Amino acid sequence: MELSKQNKIKNFFKRYGVMMIAGAFVVAIALAVGLTLPATQQVSTVNLDFTSPMLNAEITKDYSETELQFNENLGRWEIHLGIDFKSDDNKVFSVLDGTVLSVENNSLEGYVVTIEHEDGFTSVYSSLDENVLVEEGDTVKGGEQIGESSATATGEFDEAQLHFTLLKDGVEVDPNLYIDLENK
Ligand SMILES: [Zn+2]
């Protein structure tokens, strides 16, 4: 009696043991995913609400990591790790809440505002005119105007335009991946 009971238990584990172990794995994986997913989503870009750096703007030169594009002002072919915009009102806006890291000026890029955001993002606005509306250290809101586009970036433009760059962890990324420029 006792022996057959033991055998029954043995047989039960022989038959269902693998399934039980597999089941335990599934539960463990589900738990691990459930615990890590909310944590990663908090720092992911999903919750960052980017806005366009210009409204009702035309993209005059798109982002391109691999395709060479001709720069007429410098007379050379180059990749273009940013997006050029042109709009009627020339107004330039911060794409996200952030802190102004620097306001600089040089002859090739014109007035350049660099803004630091959360999650490792930095946005750079080149070819602004001299009446920049923000200073280093200022806190800005997404959609807040920071200046106006101009032709100060003589290395690229003959007319008022914006050269916009987005960096993630210090590396240029395609703004199209983060900003809905269709509804600009
Ligand atoms: Zn450009």
Side-chain angles (χ1 to χ4, degrees):
M1 233 6 213
E2 197 56 37
L3 198 68
S4 81
K5 207 176 181 183
Q6 271 185 6
N7 278 343
K8 265 186 188 169
I9 294 169
K10 247 187 205 171
N11 280 337
F12 177 84
F13 275 106
K14 254 188 202 164
R15 217 178 271 178
Y16 301 109
V18 174
M19 279 167 71
M20 286 168 76
I21 290 167
F25 260 111
V26 170
V27 170
I29 288 166
L31 271 176
V33 169
L35 288 175
T36 52
L37 214 76
T40 50
Q41 271 179 352
Q42 277 173 2
V43 292
S44 87
T45 57
V46 174
N47 295 329
L48 295 180
D49 191 17
F50 285 93
T51 58
S52 180
M54 287 189 116
L55 295 175
N56 305 310
E58 175 195 337
I59 291 177
T60 53
K61 199 190 273 184
D62 211 341
Y63 181 90
S64 170
E65 267 173 19
T66 50
E67 258 176 65
L68 293 175
Q69 305 192 54
F70 192 67
N71 180 326
E72 284 177 18
N73 289 46
L74 297 179
R76 67 183 186 203
W77 292 87
E78 57 191 17
I79 54 170
H80 193 242
L81 299 180
I83 298 180
D84 295 343
F85 294 89
K86 191 169 83 171
S87 79
D88 290 336
D89 66 8
N90 295 330
K91 287 180 179 175
V92 176
F93 310 95
S94 176
V95 293
L96 208 60
D97 293 358
T99 306
V100 178
L101 195 68
S102 63
V103 179
E104 290 168 329
N105 176 30
N106 70 72
S107 63
L108 281 183
E109 299 170 295
Y111 282 84
V112 181
V113 171
T114 302
I115 302 177
E116 258 193 333
H117 311 284
E118 57 178 313
D119 203 18
F121 283 102
T122 306
S123 57
V124 185
Y125 311 78
S126 307
S127 200
L128 300 179
D129 72 9
E130 70 273 21
N131 300 313
V132 173
L133 300 174
V134 291
E135 289 180 352
E136 187 183 321
D138 280 359
T139 302
V140 291
K141 286 274 169 206
E144 183 178 329
Q145 192 186 348
I146 57 167
E148 286 196 4
S149 63
S150 70
T152 54
T154 57
E156 206 173 14
F157 304 132
D158 295 318
E159 55 174 354
Q161 289 199 47
L162 168 73
H163 176 96
F164 172 73
T165 312
L166 186 66
L167 300 108
K168 172 90 167 95
D169 301 323
V171 180
E172 286 97 345
V173 290
D174 185 351
N176 291 292
L177 300 175
Y178 302 95
I179 307 172
D180 181 13
L181 297 173
E182 291 291 308
N183 299 312
K184 60 192 183 291

